[in-house]
Amino acid sequence: MFDLNEFRISNRNDEVLCGLCNVAPAESRHHLVPSDNKEPKVPLCQPCHDTVHATFTNKQLKKAYDTIEKLLTDERIVNWIVWRVDHPTASPKVR
């Protein structure tokens, strides 16, 4: 079962940090298996959450990217995280 304690807590306001970039407070929860409300959710900041859904279809997420570890195997997500870490306050436009 998913454990929220696996994610870092920010020193500022005891906020849970994003499960992908680990630099921004998690503002949303991402279903690891789309359309399954019983499956665990991971905390993500909104830009990371938007990026995941702009990068993959729900079918792709369900079939091949249903864990944080699997998301981190995709070069586009890794490149996004590298950029995000360097620009923690930026809010990029996602198509």
Side-chain angles (χ1 to χ4, degrees):
M1 184 74 180
F2 173 75
D3 182 5
L4 192 60
N5 294 323
E6 294 176 16
F7 293 91
R8 293 189 337 183
I9 304 294
S10 129
N11 290 335
R12 291 180 289 165
N13 298 316
D14 291 331
E15 296 171 314
V16 174
L17 294 180
C18 175
L20 281 179
C21 71
N22 276 316
V23 296
E27 303 156 335
S28 65
R29 300 290 185 263
H30 170 69
H31 283 97
L32 289 172
V33 178
S35 303
D36 188 346
N37 290 327
K38 296 178 184 175
E39 285 299 315
K41 300 176 196 175
V42 294
L44 298 180
C45 65
Q46 197 61 53
C48 284
H49 198 176
D50 292 346
T51 298
V52 167
H53 285 285
T55 304
F56 305 107
T57 65
N58 280 347
K59 186 175 181 179
Q60 290 170 315
L61 287 168
K62 187 174 184 175
K63 183 176 180 181
Y65 297 101
D66 59 351
T67 67
I68 290 289
E69 293 79 14
K70 289 178 184 177
L71 287 170
L72 292 171
T73 65
D74 187 89
E75 184 177 354
R76 297 166 295 179
I77 296 297
V78 172
N79 289 338
W80 158 254
I81 293 168
V82 169
W83 185 89
R84 179 75 171 139
V85 168
D86 288 340
H87 304 87
T89 60
S91 293
K93 293 181 181 176
V94 178
R95 351 181 220 153

